[in-house]
Amino acid sequence: AQSVTQPDIHITVSEGASLELRCNYSYGATPYLFWYVQSPGQGLQLLLKYFSGDTLVQGIKGFEAEFKRSQSSFNLRKPSVHWSDAAEYFCAVGYGSGNTGKLIFGQGTTLQVKP
Amino acid sequence: DTGVSQDPRHKITKRGQNVTFRCDPISEHNRLYWYRQTLGQGPEFLTYFQNEAQLEKSRLLSDRFSAERPKGSFSTLEIQRTEQGDSAMYLCASSPRRTQTYNEQFFGPGTRLTVL
């Protein structure tokens, strides 16, 4: 069955430090991959997406992610974390062509930023 | 603001009561999704509409749950005889008519349901 795994439930980094959030997926066909961010009490905001082409994708707020097919991974990175980045981050796989387009989400990683 | 809106934002109810949530998608979007998110988990797919047709339902959607999208615009999600296990955030998302391999979904702020 298709699934998304985010191995780290909770991560704490110091402000200004680099960040990497891990995501592994299990999906038979070409994956459509997403990272969303959710602040407390808020809906989901799309950070970036990968459909095809260049495996390094840039998103909003200075985030980037790299698709590695051989490792079934789509890790999210940021070179320098800001206190406002503290939130919950979700990786998701989208069912594409011929399907409904529904998303399968990982369980999320909570990011805490130390001053 | 022309984003996805949901009403109410919060609902507290007693076990056994019925509740109904509303979602207004982005106006030109013909695809609409409902997801449920429990504490500490990622959202889980519940159901999908293309225009007014409900084309997929998750096994999570028990017979106490019903969703409609009567004119292909707004959608409602009703839960009958609520149980404490129904307490969750209910998220709505919409996406435009498929013009490419995959279309991005835009999420609303969610309705948080608490069943006492």
Side-chain angles (χ1 to χ4, degrees), chain B residues 22-38:
Chain B
R22 176 179 171 125
C23 170
D24 286 89
I26 295 171
S27 61
E28 62 270 23
H29 286 186
N30 72 327
R31 296 180 154 206
L32 188 145
Y33 304 82
W34 285 98
Y35 294 84
R36 181 174 69 185
Q37 184 180 19
T38 54

Side-chain angles (χ1 to χ4, degrees), chain B residues 35-75:
Chain B
Y35 294 84
R36 181 174 69 185
Q37 184 180 19
T38 54
L39 204 59
Q41 299 297 318
E44 295 174 291
F45 169 78
L46 290 179
T47 190
Y48 158 70
F49 288 87
Q50 185 169 311
N51 300 311
E52 65 275 9
Q54 188 175 18
L55 297 184
E56 185 171 350
K57 293 194 295 185
S58 164
R59 58 181 171 77
L60 295 175
L61 215 64
S62 76
D63 55 6
R64 296 186 297 107
F65 288 70
S66 61
E68 294 183 340
R69 194 181 182 198
K71 295 183 179 179
S73 56
F74 72 92
S75 175

Side-chain angles (χ1 to χ4, degrees), chain A residues 32 34 36 38 41-44 46 49 51 88 90 94-108, chain B residues 9 31 33 35 37 40-45 48 55-56 89 91 98 100-110:
Chain A
Y32 302 93
F34 305 83
Y36 285 88
Q38 186 177 40
Q42 302 298 311
L44 295 165
L46 181 68
K49 60 190 177 189
F51 287 179
E88 192 154 20
F90 294 96
Y95 282 71
S97 178
N99 292 292
T100 64
K102 67 185 178 186
L103 293 169
I104 305 297
F105 287 87
Q107 75 174 103
Chain B
R9 295 290 305 275
R31 296 180 154 206
Y33 304 82
Y35 294 84
Q37 184 180 19
Q41 299 297 318
E44 295 174 291
F45 169 78
Y48 158 70
L55 297 184
E56 185 171 350
M89 175 80 87
L91 295 166
R98 186 159 59 90
Q100 53 187 15
T101 305
Y102 193 90
N103 288 95
E104 175 186 339
Q105 292 178 32
F106 297 82
F107 282 82

Side-chain angles (χ1 to χ4, degrees), chain A residues 8 13 22 25 40 45 55 57 61 74 77 79 92 96 98 104 115:
Chain A
D8 306 304
V13 299
R22 296 183 291 164
Y25 66 90
Q45 181 183 22
T55 56
V57 293
K61 304 185 179 185
F74 188 55
R77 300 194 294 248
I104 305 297

Side-chain angles (χ1 to χ4, degrees), chain A residues 42-110:
Chain A
Q42 302 298 311
L44 295 165
Q45 181 183 22
L46 181 68
L47 286 176
L48 46 78
K49 60 190 177 189
Y50 171 78
F51 287 179
S52 64
D54 192 345
T55 56
L56 184 64
V57 293
Q58 303 296 321
I60 62 171
K61 304 185 179 185
F63 285 92
E64 65 178 27
E66 186 172 13
F67 169 59
K68 292 185 177 180
R69 185 184 297 275
S70 62
Q71 298 178 18
S72 297
S73 69
F74 188 55
N75 293 350
L76 181 71
R77 300 194 294 248
K78 187 170 185 178
S80 177
V81 170
H82 188 263
W83 64 265
S84 60
D85 293 325
E88 192 154 20
Y89 291 80
F90 294 96
C91 181
V93 170
Y95 282 71
S97 178
N99 292 292
T100 64
K102 67 185 178 186
L103 293 169
I104 305 297
F105 287 87
Q107 75 174 103
T109 298
T110 301

